[in-house]
Amino acid sequence: MRMAELSRRSEVPVPTIKYYLREGLLPTGVRTGRNQADYTEDHLRRLTMIRALRNVGGLSVTAVRDVLAAVDADGPRPHQVFRVAQEAIAGPGLEEDSAEARAAFAEVDELIARMGWRIAPTSPARGTLARLLHDIRRAGDEGLLDTLDERAEIAEQVAELDLRTAWSRPDLAAQVRTVVVGTVLGDALATTLRRLAQQHVSLTGSGRPDHR
Amino acid sequence: MRMAELSRRSEVPVPTIKYYLREGLLPTGVRTGRNQADYTEDHLRRLTMIRALRNVGGLSVTAVRDVLAAVDADGPRPHQVFRVAQEAIAGPGLEEDSAEARAAFAEVDELIARMGWRIAPTSPARGTLARLLHDIRRAGDEGLLDTLDERAEIAEQVAELDLRTAWSRPDLAAQVRTVVVGTVLGDALATTLRRLAQQHVSLTGSGRPDHR
């Protein structure tokens, strides 16, 4: 297809596509004339992945480059790709520079131990979770923290589903794509499904106290 | 406490606090001198909530104002607050302007019917989900879509936990705070727990094929 069609189908403006081509995020098309090239379904798929990483995942162009490099690497192991995808989209961590912050990290490590999870001490998610527990406590919402273990168990169910999904793909390239797309779009999917379910449960849930 | 302490404890810079005071997002403190006021733990809690909505939820100041207005309203019902919090943080929806988009909306409505969920047709989450299904399909990742029903069932478990948490709070003000904080910080919490669980399962999960 021509660039105009690639732009229309991917919903990415032509100048942005040209920028990705210059930056090497998207491979060049097959030249068919002086100022013309032909693009394939693979280009469309990759462009959609870049768009999702940028818009849904909020990744910088540099972070997208890191994730795509991991996707392109010859024979990465899925758990390495998980790590790269996770590092690219990690939120701000907490500095271990106060007693309060150290307490939040201790709480994270206790949860990890209770769950029996094997987590690298350098994992960015550890610092992100410490930051969140710290913020949630400050916002005065103990309710979320009271149900932390139940939420961790649900997260493990989701992770098992994620990995099962990735491993069921026919080849390593597809597995890696599923890990990347699944990590970024999967977060948004889980959040949106939770919103719909909250609406349903808030209207119909049993145990609901009666408000006026 | 003085403003300097409020700033230190909330990690919100003094000029930003002054801006929120001017905009009426934060109530003024008790005047103790010509240029001095005293702030309470309630100020700190509210400021932390604003900070979380801004930084973690990515809300604009206008959206924060809408959410806080719902929190402050006399006797809102929790499901109304859910709706306001959800509308404030809704992602971009999908326009029903192509056959492909209409197919995505039909898919959302079929899922809602299969789950037996009661969802308002105007719910922003419906359009967000249609947009995501559309993007995931375009990115060539059918794996996530194959497990949609399982993910919706997990989302319902989470929503039940969310509502149970909110309803267990001692009074309506605390319930409303839990809904708001739980919606915004709860998304980030679920995402982060999922990351940790993915790391664990990708290293230890059963059923993992052996890659080099």
Side-chain angles (χ1 to χ4, degrees):
Chain A
M1 73 192 87
R2 301 274 292 277
M3 187 176 290
E5 191 185 343
L6 183 66
S7 168
R8 191 182 53 74
R9 290 183 60 195
S10 64
E11 297 175 34
V12 176
V14 168
T16 309
I17 297 180
K18 288 185 173 165
Y19 171 66
Y20 293 155
L21 284 166
R22 277 199 308 277
E23 292 288 314
L25 265 55
L26 194 68
T28 49
V30 174
R31 242 194 146 85
T32 54
R34 181 188 275 275
N35 262 316
Q36 217 163 288
D38 198 49
Y39 300 91
T40 64
E41 293 293 322
D42 278 346
H43 283 96
L44 178 60
R45 203 154 26 230
R46 191 172 176 101
L47 197 50
T48 310
M49 195 197 286
I50 296 172
R51 183 173 161 276
L53 292 169
R54 295 275 294 141
N55 296 359
V56 184
L59 267 62
S60 68
V61 170
T62 310
V64 170
R65 193 197 311 281
D66 290 348
V67 171
L68 291 177
V71 171
D72 295 338
D74 187 35
R77 299 182 188 200
H79 68 89
Q80 288 171 334
V81 178
F82 262 111
R83 208 187 49 221
V84 173
Q86 292 199 353
E87 280 172 7
I89 56 183
L94 187 65
E95 296 292 321
E96 270 181 276
D97 60 358
S98 68
E100 214 180 355
R102 277 188 296 275
F105 271 99
E107 204 175 346
V108 169
D109 291 337
E110 282 158 25
L111 173 72
I112 290 173
R114 278 200 305 280
M115 297 302 296
W117 284 350
R118 268 182 64 189
I119 306 292
T122 56
S123 162
R126 206 176 141 264
T128 308
L129 185 56
R131 149 72 56 203
L132 280 168
L133 296 183
H134 181 258
D135 283 357
I136 292 169
R137 179 148 292 130
R138 284 244 179 128
D141 189 49
E142 300 289 326
L144 270 180
L145 302 178
D146 291 347
T147 53
L148 193 58
D149 286 37
E150 283 172 272
R151 291 175 190 276
E153 269 157 36
I154 291 173
E156 195 172 317
Q157 282 182 51
V158 176
E160 273 162 15
L161 203 55
D162 291 337
L163 275 282
R164 186 150 51 77
T165 306
W167 292 328
S168 71
R169 299 292 93 194
D171 55 53
L172 194 57
Q175 286 173 10
V176 166
R177 196 168 60 234
T178 294
V179 165
V180 171
V181 175
T183 298
V184 175
L185 291 181
D187 284 342
L189 182 64
T191 297
T192 307
L193 288 171
R194 176 174 172 237
R195 301 249 178 296
L196 286 170
Q198 282 174 341
Q199 282 179 41
H200 169 68
V201 176
S202 76
L203 285 169
T204 59
S206 58
R208 181 159 72 105
D210 265 315
H211 294 296
R212 288 173 297 150
Chain B
M1 74 192 87
R2 300 275 292 277
M3 186 175 293
E5 189 184 344
L6 182 65
S7 168
R8 190 180 54 74
R9 290 183 59 194
S10 64
E11 297 175 35
V12 176
V14 168
T16 308
I17 296 179
K18 287 184 173 166
Y19 171 67
Y20 293 155
L21 284 167
R22 276 198 309 276
E23 293 289 314
L25 265 57
L26 194 67
T28 49
V30 174
R31 242 193 147 85
T32 54
R34 182 186 275 276
N35 263 315
Q36 217 164 289
D38 198 49
Y39 300 91
T40 63
E41 293 294 321
D42 278 346
H43 283 95
L44 177 61
R45 205 159 21 235
R46 190 171 177 102
L47 197 50
T48 309
M49 195 197 284
I50 296 171
R51 182 173 163 276
L53 292 169
R54 295 275 293 141
N55 295 358
V56 184
L59 266 62
S60 68
V61 170
T62 310
V64 170
R65 192 196 313 278
D66 291 347
V67 171
L68 291 177
V71 170
D72 295 337
D74 186 36
R77 299 182 187 200
H79 70 89
Q80 288 171 334
V81 178
F82 261 110
R83 205 186 53 220
V84 174
Q86 292 198 355
E87 280 172 7
I89 56 184
L94 186 65
E95 295 292 322
E96 270 181 276
D97 61 357
S98 69
E100 214 180 355
R102 277 188 296 275
F105 272 99
E107 204 175 343
V108 169
D109 290 337
E110 282 158 24
L111 173 72
I112 290 172
R114 278 200 306 281
M115 297 302 297
W117 285 349
R118 268 181 65 188
I119 305 292
T122 56
S123 163
R126 206 176 141 263
T128 307
L129 184 56
R131 149 72 56 201
L132 279 168
L133 296 183
H134 181 260
D135 283 356
I136 292 170
R137 180 148 291 131
R138 285 245 179 126
D141 189 50
E142 300 289 326
L144 270 179
L145 302 178
D146 291 348
T147 53
L148 194 58
D149 286 38
E150 283 171 273
R151 291 175 190 275
E153 271 157 35
I154 290 173
E156 196 172 315
Q157 282 182 51
V158 175
E160 275 162 14
L161 203 55
D162 290 337
L163 275 283
R164 185 150 51 79
T165 306
W167 292 329
S168 70
R169 299 292 92 193
D171 55 53
L172 194 58
Q175 287 173 10
V176 166
R177 196 167 60 232
T178 294
V179 165
V180 172
V181 174
T183 298
V184 175
L185 291 181
D187 284 341
L189 182 65
T191 297
T192 306
L193 288 171
R194 177 174 172 236
R195 300 249 180 294
L196 285 170
Q198 281 174 341
Q199 282 180 40
H200 169 67
V201 177
S202 76
L203 285 169
T204 60
S206 57
R208 180 161 71 106
D210 264 313
H211 294 297
R212 282 173 299 152

